[in-house]
Coordinates of all heavy atoms in Angstrom, one line a residue:
M163 N 0.9 -1.2 0.0 CA 0.0 0.0 0.0 C 0.9 1.2 0.0 O 1.8 1.3 0.8 CB -0.9 0.0 1.2 CG -1.8 1.2 1.4 SD -2.9 1.1 2.8 CE -4.1 0.0 2.2
D164 N 0.6 2.2 -0.9 CA 1.4 3.4 -0.9 C 0.9 4.4 0.1 O -0.1 4.2 0.7 CB 1.5 3.9 -2.3 CG 0.2 4.5 -2.9 OD1 -0.7 4.7 -2.1 OD2 0.2 4.9 -4.1
L165 N 1.7 5.5 0.3 CA 1.3 6.5 1.3 C 0.1 7.2 1.0 O -0.7 7.6 1.9 CB 2.5 7.5 1.4 CG 3.7 7.0 2.2 CD1 4.7 8.1 2.3 CD2 3.3 6.6 3.6
L166 N -0.3 7.4 -0.3 CA -1.5 8.1 -0.6 C -2.7 7.3 -0.2 O -3.7 7.8 0.4 CB -1.6 8.4 -2.1 CG -2.8 9.2 -2.6 CD1 -2.9 10.5 -1.8 CD2 -2.7 9.5 -4.1
E167 N -2.6 6.0 -0.5 CA -3.7 5.1 0.0 C -3.8 5.0 1.5 O -4.9 5.1 2.1 CB -3.4 3.7 -0.5 CG -3.6 3.5 -2.0 CD -3.3 2.1 -2.5 OE1 -3.6 1.1 -1.8 OE2 -2.7 1.9 -3.5
R168 N -2.7 5.0 2.2 CA -2.6 5.0 3.7 C -3.3 6.2 4.2 O -4.0 6.2 5.1 CB -1.2 4.8 4.2 CG -1.1 4.7 5.7 CD -1.8 3.5 6.2 NE -1.1 2.4 5.9 CZ -1.5 1.1 6.0 NH1 -2.7 0.9 6.6 NH2 -0.8 0.1 5.6
Q169 N -2.9 7.4 3.6 CA -3.4 8.7 4.1 C -4.9 8.7 3.9 O -5.7 9.2 4.7 CB -2.8 9.8 3.2 CG -3.1 11.2 3.7 CD -2.3 12.2 2.9 OE1 -2.2 12.1 1.7 NE2 -1.9 13.3 3.6
T170 N -5.4 8.2 2.8 CA -6.9 8.2 2.5 C -7.5 7.3 3.6 O -8.6 7.6 4.1 CB -7.2 7.6 1.1 OG1 -6.5 8.6 0.1 CG2 -8.6 7.6 0.8
E171 N -6.9 6.1 3.8 CA -7.5 5.2 4.8 C -7.6 5.9 6.2 O -8.5 5.8 6.9 CB -6.7 3.9 4.9 CG -7.1 2.9 5.9 CD -6.1 1.7 5.9 OE1 -6.1 1.0 4.9 OE2 -5.3 1.6 6.8
L172 N -6.5 6.5 6.6 CA -6.4 7.2 8.0 C -7.4 8.3 8.0 O -8.1 8.5 9.1 CB -5.0 7.7 8.2 CG -4.0 6.6 8.5 CD1 -2.6 7.2 8.5 CD2 -4.2 5.9 9.8
R173 N -7.5 9.1 7.0 CA -8.5 10.2 7.0 C -10.0 9.6 7.1 O -10.7 10.2 7.8 CB -8.4 11.0 5.7 CG -7.2 11.9 5.8 CD -7.1 12.8 4.6 NE -6.0 13.7 4.6 CZ -5.4 14.3 3.6 NH1 -5.9 14.1 2.4 NH2 -4.4 15.2 3.8
A174 N -10.3 8.5 6.4 CA -11.5 8.0 6.5 C -11.9 7.5 7.9 O -12.9 7.7 8.5 CB -11.7 6.8 5.5
E175 N -10.9 6.8 8.5 CA -11.0 6.4 9.9 C -11.2 7.5 10.9 O -12.0 7.5 11.8 CB -9.8 5.5 10.3 CG -10.0 4.9 11.7 CD -8.8 4.0 12.1 OE1 -8.0 3.6 11.2 OE2 -8.7 3.7 13.3
R176 N -10.5 8.6 10.6 CA -10.6 9.8 11.5 C -12.0 10.4 11.3 O -12.6 10.7 12.3 CB -9.5 10.8 11.0 CG -9.6 12.1 11.8 CD -8.5 13.1 11.2 NE -8.6 14.4 11.9 CZ -9.3 15.3 11.5 NH1 -10.1 15.2 10.4 NH2 -9.3 16.5 12.2
R177 N -12.5 10.5 10.1 CA -13.8 11.1 9.9 C -14.9 10.2 10.6 O -15.8 10.8 11.2 CB -14.2 11.2 8.4 CG -13.6 12.4 7.7 CD -14.2 12.6 6.3 NE -14.0 11.4 5.4 CZ -12.9 11.2 4.7 NH1 -11.9 12.0 4.7 NH2 -12.9 10.1 3.9
A178 N -14.8 8.9 10.5 CA -15.7 8.0 11.1 C -15.7 8.2 12.7 O -16.7 8.2 13.3 CB -15.5 6.6 10.7
L179 N -14.5 8.3 13.2 CA -14.3 8.4 14.6 C -14.9 9.8 15.1 O -15.6 9.8 16.1 CB -12.9 8.3 15.0 CG -12.6 8.3 16.5 CD1 -13.3 7.2 17.3 CD2 -11.0 8.2 16.7
I180 N -14.7 10.8 14.4 CA -15.3 12.1 14.7 C -16.8 12.0 14.7 O -17.4 12.6 15.6 CB -14.8 13.3 13.8 CG1 -13.2 13.5 14.1 CG2 -15.6 14.5 13.9 CD1 -12.6 14.4 13.1
E181 N -17.3 11.4 13.7 CA -18.8 11.3 13.6 C -19.3 10.5 14.8 O -20.4 10.8 15.4 CB -19.2 10.6 12.3 CG -20.7 10.7 12.0 CD -21.2 12.0 11.9 OE1 -20.5 13.0 11.5 OE2 -22.4 12.2 12.3
T182 N -18.6 9.4 15.2 CA -19.0 8.6 16.3 C -19.0 9.4 17.6 O -20.0 9.4 18.4 CB -18.1 7.4 16.5 OG1 -18.2 6.6 15.4 CG2 -18.4 6.7 17.8
L183 N -18.0 10.3 17.8 CA -17.9 11.2 18.9 C -19.0 12.2 18.9 O -19.6 12.5 20.0 CB -16.5 11.8 19.0 CG -15.4 10.9 19.3 CD1 -14.1 11.6 19.1 CD2 -15.5 10.5 20.8
R184 N -19.3 12.7 17.8 CA -20.4 13.8 17.7 C -21.7 13.3 18.0 O -22.6 13.9 18.7 CB -20.4 14.4 16.3 CG -19.3 15.4 16.0 CD -19.6 16.0 14.7 NE -18.5 17.0 14.4 CZ -17.9 17.1 13.3 NH1 -18.4 16.5 12.2 NH2 -16.9 18.0 13.1
R185 N -22.0 12.1 17.6 CA -23.4 11.5 17.7 C -23.5 10.7 19.0 O -24.7 10.4 19.4 CB -23.7 10.5 16.6 CG -23.8 11.3 15.2 CD -24.3 10.4 14.2 NE -24.3 11.1 12.9 CZ -24.9 10.7 11.9 NH1 -25.4 9.5 11.8 NH2 -25.0 11.4 10.7
G186 N -22.5 10.3 19.6 CA -22.6 9.5 20.8 C -23.3 8.2 20.5 O -24.2 7.8 21.2
R187 N -23.0 7.6 19.3 CA -23.6 6.5 18.7 C -23.6 5.3 19.7 O -22.6 5.0 20.3 CB -22.9 6.1 17.4 CG -23.8 5.7 16.4 CD -23.0 5.3 15.2 NE -22.6 6.4 14.4 CZ -21.6 6.4 13.5 NH1 -21.0 5.3 13.3 NH2 -21.3 7.4 12.8
P188 N -24.7 4.5 19.8 CA -24.7 3.3 20.6 C -23.5 2.4 20.1 O -23.3 2.4 18.8 CB -26.0 2.7 20.3 CG -26.9 3.8 19.9 CD -26.0 4.8 19.2
G189 N -22.9 1.8 20.9 CA -21.8 0.9 20.6 C -20.5 1.6 20.7 O -19.4 1.0 20.7
A190 N -20.5 2.9 20.8 CA -19.3 3.7 21.1 C -18.9 3.5 22.5 O -19.7 3.2 23.3 CB -19.5 5.2 20.8
V191 N -17.6 3.7 22.8 CA -17.2 3.5 24.2 C -17.8 4.6 25.1 O -18.1 4.3 26.3 CB -15.7 3.5 24.3 CG1 -15.2 3.5 25.7 CG2 -15.2 2.3 23.5
T192 N -18.0 5.8 24.5 CA -18.6 6.8 25.4 C -20.1 6.5 25.5 O -20.7 5.9 24.7 CB -18.5 8.2 24.7 OG1 -19.0 8.1 23.4 CG2 -17.0 8.6 24.6
R193 N -20.7 7.0 26.6 CA -22.1 6.8 26.8 C -22.9 7.7 26.0 O -22.6 8.9 25.7 CB -22.4 7.1 28.3 CG -22.0 5.9 29.1 CD -22.1 6.2 30.6 NE -20.8 6.6 31.0 CZ -20.6 7.3 32.1 NH1 -21.5 7.5 33.0 NH2 -19.3 7.6 32.4
P194 N -24.0 7.3 25.4 CA -24.9 8.1 24.5 C -25.2 9.4 25.3 O -25.5 9.4 26.5 CB -26.1 7.3 24.3 CG -25.6 5.9 24.4 CD -24.6 5.9 25.5
G195 N -25.2 10.5 24.5 CA -25.6 11.8 25.0 C -24.5 12.5 25.9 O -24.7 13.5 26.4
R196 N -23.4 11.9 26.0 CA -22.3 12.4 26.8 C -21.1 12.6 25.9 O -20.7 11.8 25.1 CB -22.0 11.4 27.9 CG -21.5 12.1 29.1 CD -21.2 11.1 30.1 NE -20.0 11.6 30.9 CZ -19.6 11.2 31.9 NH1 -20.1 10.1 32.5 NH2 -18.6 11.7 32.6
R197 N -20.4 13.8 26.1 CA -19.2 14.1 25.3 C -18.1 13.2 25.8 O -18.0 12.7 27.0 CB -18.8 15.5 25.5 CG -19.8 16.5 24.9 CD -19.2 17.9 25.0 NE -19.8 18.7 24.0 CZ -19.3 18.9 22.8 NH1 -18.1 18.4 22.5 NH2 -19.9 19.8 22.0
A198 N -17.2 12.9 24.9 CA -16.0 12.1 25.2 C -15.2 12.9 26.1 O -15.0 14.1 26.0 CB -15.2 11.7 24.0
E199 N -14.6 12.2 27.2 CA -13.7 12.9 28.1 C -12.3 13.0 27.5 O -11.9 12.2 26.7 CB -13.8 12.2 29.4 CG -15.2 12.3 30.0 CD -15.3 11.4 31.3 OE1 -14.3 10.9 31.8 OE2 -16.4 11.3 31.8
A200 N -11.5 13.9 28.1 CA -10.1 14.1 27.5 C -9.3 12.8 27.4 O -8.6 12.7 26.5 CB -9.4 15.1 28.4
G201 N -9.4 11.9 28.3 CA -8.6 10.7 28.3 C -9.3 9.5 27.7 O -8.8 8.4 27.9
S202 N -10.4 9.8 27.0 CA -11.2 8.6 26.5 C -10.5 7.9 25.4 O -9.6 8.5 24.7 CB -12.6 9.1 26.0 OG -12.4 9.8 24.7
P203 N -10.7 6.6 25.2 CA -10.1 5.8 24.2 C -10.3 6.5 22.8 O -9.4 6.5 21.9 CB -10.7 4.4 24.3 CG -11.3 4.4 25.7 CD -11.6 5.7 26.0
E204 N -11.5 7.0 22.5 CA -11.8 7.6 21.2 C -11.0 8.8 20.9 O -10.4 8.9 19.9 CB -13.3 8.0 21.2 CG -14.2 6.9 21.2 CD -14.6 6.4 22.6 OE1 -14.1 7.0 23.5 OE2 -15.5 5.6 22.7
L205 N -10.8 9.7 22.0 CA -9.9 10.8 21.8 C -8.5 10.5 21.6 O -7.7 11.1 20.9 CB -10.2 11.9 22.8 CG -11.5 12.6 22.8 CD1 -11.7 13.6 23.9 CD2 -11.8 13.2 21.5
R206 N -8.0 9.5 22.3 CA -6.6 9.0 22.2 C -6.4 8.5 20.8 O -5.4 8.8 20.1 CB -6.3 8.0 23.2 CG -6.1 8.6 24.6 CD -5.5 7.6 25.6 NE -6.1 6.3 25.7 CZ -7.1 6.1 26.6 NH1 -7.4 7.0 27.5 NH2 -7.6 4.9 26.6
Q207 N -7.4 7.7 20.3 CA -7.3 7.2 18.9 C -7.3 8.3 17.9 O -6.5 8.3 16.9 CB -8.4 6.1 18.6 CG -8.4 5.6 17.2 CD -7.1 4.8 16.9 OE1 -6.2 4.5 17.7 NE2 -6.9 4.5 15.6
L208 N -8.2 9.3 18.1 CA -8.2 10.4 17.2 C -6.9 11.1 17.2 O -6.4 11.5 16.1 CB -9.3 11.4 17.6 CG -9.5 12.6 16.8 CD1 -9.9 12.3 15.4 CD2 -10.6 13.5 17.4
R209 N -6.3 11.3 18.3 CA -4.9 11.9 18.4 C -3.9 11.1 17.6 O -3.1 11.7 16.9 CB -4.5 12.2 19.8 CG -3.2 12.9 20.0 CD -3.4 14.4 19.6 NE -2.1 15.0 19.7 CZ -1.6 15.9 18.8 NH1 -2.3 16.2 17.8 NH2 -0.4 16.4 19.0
R210 N -3.9 9.8 17.8 CA -3.0 8.9 17.1 C -3.1 9.0 15.6 O -2.2 9.0 14.8 CB -3.2 7.4 17.5 CG -2.5 7.1 18.9 CD -2.5 5.6 19.1 NE -3.8 5.1 19.3 CZ -4.4 5.0 20.5 NH1 -3.8 5.4 21.6 NH2 -5.6 4.4 20.6
L211 N -4.4 9.1 15.1 CA -4.7 9.2 13.7 C -4.2 10.6 13.2 O -3.6 10.6 12.1 CB -6.2 9.1 13.4 CG -6.8 7.7 13.6 CD1 -8.3 7.8 13.6 CD2 -6.3 6.8 12.6
E212 N -4.4 11.6 13.9 CA -3.9 12.9 13.5 C -2.4 13.0 13.4 O -1.8 13.5 12.5 CB -4.4 14.0 14.4 CG -6.0 14.2 14.2 CD -6.6 15.1 15.2 OE1 -6.0 15.4 16.3 OE2 -7.8 15.5 14.9
L213 N -1.8 12.3 14.4 CA -0.3 12.3 14.4 C 0.3 11.5 13.2 O 1.3 11.9 12.6 CB 0.3 11.8 15.7 CG 0.1 12.8 16.9 CD1 0.4 12.0 18.2 CD2 0.9 14.0 16.7
A214 N -0.4 10.4 12.9 CA 0.0 9.6 11.7 C -0.2 10.4 10.4 O 0.8 10.3 9.6 CB -0.9 8.3 11.7
L215 N -1.2 11.1 10.3 CA -1.4 11.9 9.1 C -0.3 13.0 9.1 O 0.2 13.3 8.0 CB -2.8 12.6 9.1 CG -4.0 11.6 8.8 CD1 -5.3 12.2 9.2 CD2 -3.9 11.2 7.4
K216 N 0.1 13.6 10.2 CA 1.1 14.6 10.2 C 2.5 13.9 9.8 O 3.3 14.5 9.0 CB 1.3 15.2 11.6 CG 2.3 16.3 11.7 CD 2.1 17.4 10.8 CE 1.1 18.4 11.4 NZ 0.9 19.5 10.5
R217 N 2.7 12.7 10.3 CA 4.0 12.0 9.9 C 4.0 11.7 8.4 O 5.1 11.7 7.8 CB 4.1 10.6 10.7 CG 4.4 11.0 12.2 CD 4.9 9.7 12.9 NE 3.9 8.6 12.9 CZ 2.9 8.5 13.7 NH1 2.7 9.4 14.6 NH2 2.1 7.4 13.6
I218 N 2.9 11.4 7.8 CA 2.8 11.2 6.4 C 3.2 12.5 5.6 O 4.1 12.5 4.8 CB 1.4 10.7 5.9 CG1 1.2 9.3 6.3 CG2 1.3 10.9 4.4 CD1 -0.2 8.8 6.0
E219 N 2.7 13.6 6.1 CA 3.0 14.9 5.5 C 4.4 15.3 5.6 O 5.0 15.9 4.7 CB 2.1 16.0 6.2 CG 0.6 15.9 5.8 CD -0.2 16.9 6.7 OE1 0.4 17.8 7.3 OE2 -1.4 16.7 6.7
T220 N 5.1 14.9 6.8 CA 6.5 15.3 7.0 C 7.5 14.3 6.5 O 8.7 14.5 6.6 CB 6.7 15.6 8.5 OG1 6.5 14.3 9.2 CG2 5.8 16.7 9.0
G221 N 7.0 13.2 6.1 CA 7.8 12.1 5.6 C 8.4 11.1 6.6 O 9.3 10.4 6.4
A222 N 7.8 11.3 7.8 CA 8.3 10.4 8.9 C 7.4 9.2 9.1 O 7.7 8.4 10.0 CB 8.4 11.2 10.2
Y223 N 6.4 9.0 8.3 CA 5.5 7.8 8.5 C 6.3 6.6 8.3 O 7.0 6.5 7.3 CB 4.3 8.0 7.6 CG 3.3 6.8 7.8 CD1 2.4 6.9 8.9 CD2 3.3 5.7 7.0 CE1 1.5 5.9 9.1 CE2 2.3 4.7 7.2 CZ 1.4 4.8 8.3 OH 0.5 3.8 8.5
G224 N 6.1 5.6 9.1 CA 6.8 4.4 9.0 C 8.1 4.2 9.7 O 8.7 3.2 9.8
L225 N 8.5 5.4 10.4 CA 9.7 5.4 11.2 C 9.3 5.5 12.6 O 8.4 6.2 13.0 CB 10.6 6.7 10.8 CG 11.0 6.7 9.4 CD1 11.8 8.0 9.2 CD2 11.9 5.5 9.0
C226 N 9.9 4.7 13.4 CA 9.7 4.6 14.9 C 10.0 5.9 15.5 O 11.2 6.4 15.3 CB 10.5 3.4 15.5 SG 10.3 3.2 17.3
M227 N 9.1 6.4 16.3 CA 9.4 7.7 17.0 C 10.4 7.5 18.2 O 10.9 8.5 18.7 CB 8.1 8.3 17.5 CG 7.1 8.6 16.4 SD 7.6 9.8 15.3 CE 7.6 11.2 16.3
A228 N 10.6 6.2 18.6 CA 11.5 6.1 19.7 C 13.0 5.8 19.3 O 13.9 6.4 19.8 CB 11.0 4.9 20.6
C229 N 13.1 4.9 18.4 CA 14.5 4.5 17.9 C 14.9 5.0 16.5 O 16.1 5.0 16.2 CB 14.7 3.0 17.9 SG 13.7 2.1 16.7
G230 N 13.9 5.5 15.8 CA 14.2 6.0 14.4 C 14.2 4.9 13.3 O 14.4 5.2 12.2
G231 N 14.1 3.6 13.7 CA 14.1 2.5 12.8 C 12.9 2.4 12.0 O 11.8 3.1 12.3
E232 N 12.8 1.6 11.0 CA 11.7 1.4 10.2 C 10.7 0.5 11.0 O 11.0 -0.4 11.6 CB 12.0 0.7 8.9 CG 12.7 1.7 7.9 CD 12.8 1.1 6.6 OE1 11.9 0.3 6.1 OE2 13.8 1.4 5.9
I233 N 9.4 0.9 10.8 CA 8.3 0.0 11.4 C 8.0 -1.0 10.2 O 7.8 -0.6 9.1 CB 7.1 0.8 11.7 CG1 7.5 1.9 12.8 CG2 5.9 0.0 12.2 CD1 6.4 2.9 13.1
S234 N 7.8 -2.2 10.6 CA 7.6 -3.2 9.5 C 6.3 -3.0 8.8 O 5.3 -2.5 9.4 CB 7.6 -4.7 10.2 OG 6.4 -4.8 10.9
P235 N 6.2 -3.3 7.5 CA 5.0 -3.1 6.8 C 3.8 -3.9 7.4 O 2.7 -3.4 7.4 CB 5.3 -3.6 5.3 CG 6.8 -3.4 5.2 CD 7.3 -3.7 6.6
A236 N 4.1 -5.0 7.9 CA 3.1 -5.9 8.5 C 2.5 -5.1 9.8 O 1.2 -5.1 9.9 CB 3.6 -7.2 8.9
R237 N 3.3 -4.5 10.5 CA 2.8 -3.8 11.7 C 2.0 -2.6 11.3 O 1.0 -2.2 11.8 CB 4.0 -3.4 12.6 CG 3.6 -2.6 13.8 CD 4.7 -2.6 14.9 NE 4.3 -1.7 16.0 CZ 3.5 -2.1 17.0 NH1 3.0 -3.3 17.0 NH2 3.2 -1.2 17.9
L238 N 2.5 -1.9 10.3 CA 1.7 -0.7 9.8 C 0.4 -1.1 9.2 O -0.6 -0.4 9.3 CB 2.6 0.1 8.7 CG 3.7 0.8 9.3 CD1 4.6 1.4 8.1 CD2 3.3 2.0 10.2
H239 N 0.4 -2.3 8.6 CA -0.9 -2.8 8.0 C -1.9 -3.1 9.2 O -3.1 -2.8 9.1 CB -0.7 -4.0 7.1 CG -1.9 -4.6 6.6 ND1 -2.6 -4.0 5.5 CD2 -2.7 -5.7 6.8 CE1 -3.7 -4.6 5.2 NE2 -3.7 -5.7 6.0
A240 N -1.4 -3.7 10.3 CA -2.2 -4.1 11.4 C -2.6 -2.9 12.2 O -3.7 -2.8 12.7 CB -1.5 -5.1 12.3
Y241 N -1.7 -1.9 12.4 CA -1.9 -0.7 13.2 C -1.4 0.5 12.4 O -0.4 1.0 12.6 CB -1.0 -0.9 14.5 CG -1.3 -2.1 15.3 CD1 -0.4 -3.1 15.2 CD2 -2.4 -2.3 16.1 CE1 -0.5 -4.3 15.9 CE2 -2.6 -3.4 16.8 CZ -1.7 -4.4 16.7 OH -1.9 -5.6 17.4
P242 N -2.3 1.0 11.5 CA -1.8 2.0 10.6 C -1.4 3.3 11.3 O -0.6 4.1 10.8 CB -3.1 2.3 9.8 CG -3.9 1.1 9.9 CD -3.6 0.5 11.2
A243 N -1.9 3.6 12.5 CA -1.6 4.9 13.2 C -0.4 4.6 14.2 O -0.1 5.6 14.9 CB -2.8 5.4 14.0
T244 N 0.2 3.5 14.2 CA 1.3 3.2 15.1 C 2.5 4.2 14.9 O 2.8 4.5 13.8 CB 1.8 1.7 15.1 OG1 2.6 1.5 16.2 CG2 2.5 1.4 13.8
A245 N 3.1 4.5 16.0 CA 4.3 5.4 15.9 C 5.5 4.7 16.4 O 6.6 5.2 16.4 CB 4.1 6.6 16.8
L246 N 5.4 3.4 16.9 CA 6.4 2.6 17.4 C 6.6 1.3 16.7 O 5.7 0.7 16.4 CB 6.2 2.4 18.9 CG 6.1 3.6 19.8 CD1 5.7 3.2 21.2 CD2 7.4 4.4 19.8
C247 N 7.9 0.9 16.6 CA 8.1 -0.4 16.0 C 7.8 -1.5 17.1 O 7.6 -1.1 18.2 CB 9.6 -0.5 15.6 SG 10.8 -0.5 17.0
A248 N 7.7 -2.7 16.7 CA 7.3 -3.8 17.7 C 8.3 -3.8 18.8 O 7.9 -4.1 20.0 CB 7.2 -5.1 17.0
S249 N 9.6 -3.7 18.5 CA 10.6 -3.8 19.6 C 10.4 -2.7 20.6 O 10.4 -3.0 21.8 CB 12.0 -3.7 18.9 OG 13.0 -3.8 19.9
C250 N 10.2 -1.5 20.2 CA 10.1 -0.4 21.1 C 8.7 -0.4 21.9 O 8.6 0.0 23.0 CB 10.2 1.0 20.4 SG 11.9 1.3 19.9
K251 N 7.8 -1.0 21.2 CA 6.4 -1.2 21.9 C 6.5 -2.3 22.9 O 5.6 -2.4 23.7 CB 5.4 -1.4 20.8 CG 4.0 -1.6 21.3 CD 3.4 -0.3 21.9 CE 2.0 -0.5 22.3 NZ 1.4 0.6 22.9
G252 N 7.5 -3.2 22.8 CA 7.6 -4.3 23.7 C 7.0 -5.5 23.2 O 6.7 -6.4 24.0
E253 N 6.7 -5.5 21.9 CA 6.1 -6.7 21.3 C 7.0 -7.6 20.5 O 6.6 -8.5 19.8 CB 4.9 -6.3 20.4 CG 3.8 -5.5 21.1 CD 2.8 -4.9 20.2 OE1 2.9 -5.1 18.9 OE2 1.9 -4.3 20.7
G254 N 8.3 -7.1 20.5 CA 9.2 -7.9 19.6 C 10.4 -8.5 20.3 O 10.5 -8.6 21.4

């Protein structure tokens, strides 16, 4: 998958998450009729998506924010907004 496709995918996920937060849709982690709190899983994911989009823009997407090494394509496929390689995340 190239960066343009990844960027499109991340933007779509971001839009869907924002819509979920706005509507307080059943099935969302937040309770219906209640705004997401600052530390909510949805807002943390939104922030991860925004940072991933920024890394695409700056050319840093796919590089580990901790060690600077490359994040494996398989990991990026499984976790498109990840900022850490498996080793730095403690999974490798």
Side-chain angles (χ1 to χ4, degrees):
M163 177 175 288
D164 69 10
L165 283 180
L166 184 57
E167 289 176 38
R168 180 64 69 192
Q169 186 177 40
T170 300
E171 178 183 289
L172 290 169
R173 284 182 176 161
E175 186 177 344
R176 181 181 175 273
R177 277 191 306 274
L179 185 56
I180 288 171
E181 190 60 30
T182 295
L183 289 169
R184 282 190 183 141
R185 292 183 183 195
R187 219 183 281 163
V191 176
T192 55
R193 283 173 264 166
R196 211 179 145 170
R197 289 184 161 268
E199 297 174 8
S202 74
E204 293 88 355
L205 290 180
R206 286 193 305 268
Q207 178 62 10
L208 181 58
R209 183 71 180 141
R210 283 191 291 270
L211 291 168
E212 289 172 346
L213 290 172
L215 288 166
K216 180 61 81 177
R217 287 192 306 275
I218 289 173
E219 291 172 13
T220 63
Y223 185 79
L225 299 177
C226 178
M227 299 297 290
C229 71
E232 288 189 33
I233 300 172
S234 73
R237 181 165 174 78
L238 287 171
H239 181 73
Y241 307 102
T244 192
L246 299 174
C247 67
S249 181
C250 289
K251 181 67 175 176
E253 298 173 1

